[in-house]
Every structure is written in structure tokens, then in C-alpha cells.
Amino acid sequence: MPTPPRRLLSRASLLPRTLRGQLTTGLVVLLALACLAVGVGTAFALEGFLVGRIDQQLSASGGRFPASLEHEAAPDGDNRADTRGQSKGTFGARLLRGTTTQAAVVRNEGDSAVRLTADDRRALAALPVDGEGHTLRLSALGHYRLAAVKGDDGDVLITGLPLRPVEETVHRLEWVEAAVFGAALIVTGTLAALWVRLSLRPLRRVTSTAANVAERPLASGEVAMPDPVPVTDPRTEVGQVGTALNCMLGHVGNALERRQASEERLRHFAADASHELRTPVANIRGHAELALRHRGPVPREVRRALDRIQSESERMSRLVDDLLLLARIDAGRALDRGPVDLTRLVLDATDDARAAGPGHRWVLDLPEEAVTVTGDEHRLHQAVGNLLANARAHTPPGTRVTVRLAAGGDEIRLSVTDDGPGIPGELQPEIFGRFVRADVSRSRAAGSTGLGLAIVYAVVTAHGGTVGVESAPGRTVFRMVLPASALPASPPGEPGAQDRGPGV
């Protein structure tokens, strides 16, 4: 199902705003990813650097602190460890044949023993004796960087330094980076939005011009195209779009001017031809009637030919009158303006239809109060009469035709419904076109000009109303909607393909 034009216009007006939001969001996201990459990279780099410095300290210590620990603690609890040159928190442990004999940590007042769990002892025993730093978490102390070397007595000396200062430094860096990068993202997002808005100003002009063209009634009438889009730099993508749009507007404008000129020539031709044909057609009718009144004997073949001449001249007269009426409406001729009693008009038109088609069942559904509209009484009577004549001419005898009239609010609705065979679906889109017939042979035999519904459309739209049709086998409804008191100054042109239906 095609998207309605109003929805397309609303979507087109949102394009610059949506694109601006997408570009701004994309720039901010890219900057956020770059900040995240920088933050993670600097945090890992700083952490590696600080851990490397700790490994250097462990390598320089040479296991002096754990070497000063005795395998057996003194009875008074003093290990008499050498803590000279050792920083606070230094951990030392001695292992003999995989068993931890002593473990201590440097405090402010000296060294003190550390309670190790069974898991801590197993982890210390599994530590590679390669002099390299390894990270291990001790239950009572937290994360430590430990290095194990062999002692002189065949035991293993383990020295460790706490990783807490490293973790605090890295966390502080992360908080600083989060604050700095957050402020940078806010400032950059604001500046990016302003920059993108400024950069997309030419695209907004292109969108505005395209929406302006889409809002104009291009189907009929004279159309003035908007001014070209100013192109600042045709080398940019937006400049290329503006140049292409200007070229397209030029082609469309030329095509519309040629179409309008062709329509004007056709209208003038129809008006001139109709006007010029009225006199000779009237003369033909007059001579045919005069010949038929001849009192002398007239051969049967001649009388039959004269009857056909009179019949066809009458049909041609109706055709000329219809064409002249449509030409006048297309040319913008002002309609009469006055109060019209639609109730009386519908009654008279239905009486005329009943007299012309006594075999049909005519039903009236009228409101109790009289319905009045402002407009041209003669033309409205002609439009209603054409609808009833259409129902009479294209349905078999016995068909029920219902005429309904209703007034509500600022609208007056008139419908003509019949239970006939209906209108073929392939012809419904063209029903209000000119010279369109559902059954060519039957319409010509019935004297139809193929302009009845075209006149209905022209008269109703000239009064500012709308007309439509719904048809299916067994039910056909023509609806006519008129404003209660509105008669536009300039009538619209011929209906487009979307407004037409199968002609009669």
C-alpha cells in the first residue's frame, strides 16, 4: 500500500533533524570509543610500569629480608630479622623442603609474623624459584608481588612487595580519566551538534525545496516551481544533491509548462469547436424537423433517414452543450451564487427520473427539515440529474434506486444507491473521466455522451465539494459531499487518474 503524501512530507521534514542526530551521535560514540581505548591503554601501561618497578626492587633486594629470618622462632617471639633498607609492607618467607618455616612482614615497629592459611602455604610452595616476580594473593595481606630465590642452606627465600599502592594509583588514574573524558564528551557533543547543524544547512534547504514541490498540486493546472536551491560548493555531496535537484526542478518546470500549454490549447479548441458547432447542429435539426413536417408523400427510407438525422443532431446538441459547459468551468467562469433548496431540487430531479424510467423503483430518504446550500442551482440540478440518469441508464428495469440527503455540521451529503449489476473494477479509477463508458455500445445506443459524470465532478468540485463512488455486484453508491456555504473562486481542473472511476 503506498505511503500517503502527507506522511511522506512529514518524514521528509524530519530528515535533516534525524541525520543531524545520527551524525552527532556517531561522532560522540567514536570519541567515546577513542577515550575508552586511551583510558584502558594508559591504565594497563601504568600498571605494567609500576609492577616492573616493583620487580626491579625485588631483584635488588636479593632475598636479604627472608634470609635474616631464622627457621625457628626465638622463645621470646623475636625473630631478630634484618629490616634495614626494607620498605614498609615487605613480605619475607623461608621454605625448607617445600614447607614454610617462617613468614613475616615489615611494620613500622619492625617485623611481625604473618598467619598463613593452608592455601597460602601451598601457593608459596608452588611459586617458581626463578627470581622473577609473580602476583599472588595472600589471605591476610592482599595482593603481593613475590619473587623466590634459592638460599645458601638449600632453602627457598621469598620476598614480596604489596601491590596496593599500584592498585590505588591505577584507580586514581581511572577516576581522573573518567572525569576528564566525560567533560570532553559533553563539550565535544555540544560543539559537534552545532557543527553538524551548520554543515547540514544546505541539506535543509534542499529538503525544504523538495517538500515545497511535493506540496504543490502537480496533477493539473498551472504550477509555479520554487526558486532553485543555492549551491555553495558543488564539489561536496550536499552540493551535488542541490545541483541534481535544481536540474530536476528545471526539467519538471519545463514539462509542466508544456503540459499546461497543451491543456490550454485543448480547452480553447473544445470551447471554440463547441461554440462553432452549435449553429450548424441547430440548423441540421431545424431542416430535419421541417422536412419531417412536409405534407406530401415521403418515401419510407427518406423518412427513416430524416428521423436518424434528427435523433443524431439532438444527441450532438447535447454533446456540444456538455463540452461547452466543461470548457467554461475549466476556464474559471464564475458560477451563480445563491441559496439553493437541495430538498426541492432532489424531489424535482427524482420526479424527472421516475418519469424517464418508470420501470425502476425510486426511493427517497430526505430529512424532515429543508436542506439549503449556497451555490449555482441550475448546475447542481444538472449534477443530481446526471447521477440519477446514470443509475437509470445503466441498470435493468426493476432496479431499486435510493436517493439520500443528509446535513451534518458544515457538510451536506447526497448519495445515489442502486442494487444493479455494478461497475467493473478495472473501470472504477476512471469513472469521472471524460468520454469514459462502461458499455460503449449500450451507452451510444442510449444516447449517452460519456460526459455525464465528468460534469458531475466538475460542478461539485467547482462548489468546493467532493464526489466518489463505491461499486460491487448488487450495490453501487455515488456520494456527493458539498460544503454548506462555500463556493470557491476558481474551480479545479479535470480529475486526475486517482479521482476517476469507470465512466458511464
Side-chain angles (χ1 to χ4, degrees):
M1 181 177 180
T3 305
R6 291 187 180 273
R7 190 175 300 175
L8 288 176
L9 290 177
S10 62
R11 291 179 181 177
S13 62
L14 292 176
L15 283 179
R17 188 181 307 171
T18 304
L19 184 59
R20 183 170 67 246
Q22 291 176 350
L23 290 177
T24 304
T25 303
L27 290 175
V28 173
V29 169
L30 290 177
L31 181 60
L33 293 176
C35 292
L36 180 63
V38 171
V40 172
T42 54
F44 276 108
L46 179 62
E47 183 179 14
F49 173 76
L50 296 178
V51 171
R53 294 293 297 272
I54 291 178
D55 290 344
Q56 293 178 3
Q57 295 179 18
L58 292 176
S59 178
S61 65
R64 292 191 301 271
F65 176 58
S68 63
L69 296 175
E70 299 293 340
H71 284 295
E72 297 293 338
D76 55 2
D78 186 8
N79 291 329
R80 294 184 297 278
D82 185 6
T83 59
R84 291 175 298 176
Q86 304 296 330
S87 60
K88 180 183 176 181
T90 302
F91 173 80
R94 296 188 67 170
L95 279 73
L96 183 62
R97 292 187 292 275
T99 302
T100 304
T101 59
Q102 284 291 333
V105 63
V106 176
R107 309 283 187 184
N108 290 332
E109 63 278 3
D111 67 286
S112 60
V114 179
R115 292 182 176 273
L116 299 176
T117 63
D119 293 336
D120 293 339
R121 294 177 183 275
R122 285 193 294 270
L124 291 175
L127 199 67
V129 185
D130 54 5
E132 301 293 335
H134 301 278
T135 301
L136 187 65
R137 187 182 185 283
L138 299 176
S139 301
L141 300 177
H143 288 93
Y144 262 70
R145 191 69 174 175
L146 303 175
V149 296
K150 290 186 178 181
D152 297 337
D153 300 334
D155 52 3
V156 177
L157 305 177
I158 298 177
T159 307
L161 291 174
L163 291 177
R164 184 176 180 181
V166 175
E167 294 174 349
E168 291 177 350
T169 302
V170 173
H171 289 331
R172 182 176 299 177
L173 174 65
E174 292 172 351
W175 280 108
V176 171
E177 288 179 339
V180 172
F181 291 158
L185 288 176
I186 294 175
V187 174
T188 304
T190 304
L191 295 178
L194 296 176
W195 177 77
V196 170
R197 184 182 182 87
L198 183 63
S199 300
L200 292 181
R201 188 187 306 172
L203 185 58
R204 287 197 300 273
R205 290 196 292 263
V206 171
T207 305
S208 177
T209 302
N212 189 2
V213 173
E215 290 175 350
R216 296 173 185 261
L218 304 179
S220 61
E222 186 175 359
V223 181
M225 301 303 292
D227 296 333
V229 178
V231 178
T232 55
D233 188 359
R235 295 173 298 179
T236 63
E237 288 80 0
V238 177
Q240 294 173 3
V241 172
T243 303
L245 179 64
N246 290 337
C247 182
M248 182 187 69
L249 291 179
H251 291 313
V252 172
N254 292 335
L256 292 177
E257 290 178 359
R258 293 181 180 179
R259 185 207 64 187
Q260 180 64 16
S262 176
E263 290 181 356
E264 290 295 332
R265 288 194 299 268
L266 182 60
R267 289 172 183 171
H268 286 306
F269 171 77
D272 295 340
S274 301
H275 183 74
E276 295 296 331
L277 284 174
R278 295 182 75 180
T279 300
V281 169
N283 292 334
I284 294 174
R285 288 182 60 186
H287 286 294
E289 292 176 0
L290 181 61
L292 288 173
R293 292 177 183 178
H294 182 65
R295 296 181 180 180
V298 178
R300 186 175 60 179
E301 293 78 5
V302 176
R303 180 172 294 277
R304 181 178 180 183
L306 291 175
D307 288 336
R308 290 297 301 154
I309 291 174
Q310 184 180 19
S311 174
E312 290 300 318
S313 61
E314 290 176 355
R315 179 174 175 273
M316 186 176 291
S317 296
R318 292 194 300 270
L319 175 61
V320 168
D321 291 339
D322 290 345
L323 284 175
L324 191 57
L325 172 61
L326 290 174
R328 288 173 176 174
I329 294 178
D330 290 342
R333 292 285 186 89
L335 299 176
D336 292 339
R337 185 180 180 87
V340 179
D341 188 349
L342 276 184
T343 305
R344 172 56 58 185
L345 188 148
V346 171
L347 285 172
D348 294 342
T350 306
D351 288 340
D352 295 341
R354 184 179 289 110
H360 289 67
R361 293 180 296 164
W362 301 93
V363 180
L364 282 174
D365 184 1
L366 304 177
E368 296 181 359
E369 300 293 333
V371 178
T372 304
V373 67
T374 301
D376 190 321
E377 181 176 4
H378 178 67
R379 297 308 174 198
L380 290 176
H381 188 280
Q382 186 176 7
V384 176
N386 285 356
L387 288 179
L388 297 178
N390 175 75
R392 172 180 54 83
H394 299 288
T395 56
T399 301
R400 179 187 178 95
V401 181
T402 304
V403 184
R404 290 187 176 88
L405 180 63
D410 296 332
E411 292 183 345
I412 296 175
R413 296 176 295 276
L414 185 146
S415 64
V416 177
T417 306
D418 66 72
D419 55 1
I423 302 171
E426 66 275 8
L427 295 179
Q428 290 186 24
E430 298 291 333
I431 191 168
F432 295 105
R434 300 177 184 183
F435 300 107
V436 180
R437 299 179 176 89
D439 187 341
V440 177
S441 61
R442 184 179 64 181
S443 296
R444 292 189 182 274
S448 173
T449 62
L451 296 176
L453 292 182
I455 292 177
V456 172
Y457 178 90
V459 171
V460 172
T461 53
H463 283 78
T466 59
V467 61
V469 62
E470 295 179 6
S471 181
R475 187 173 187 271
T476 299
V477 183
F478 284 88
R479 291 187 176 88
M480 190 170 72
V481 181
L482 293 172
S485 59
L487 189 60
S490 58
E494 185 180 358
Q498 69 275 17
D499 299 320
R500 298 177 178 174
V504 220

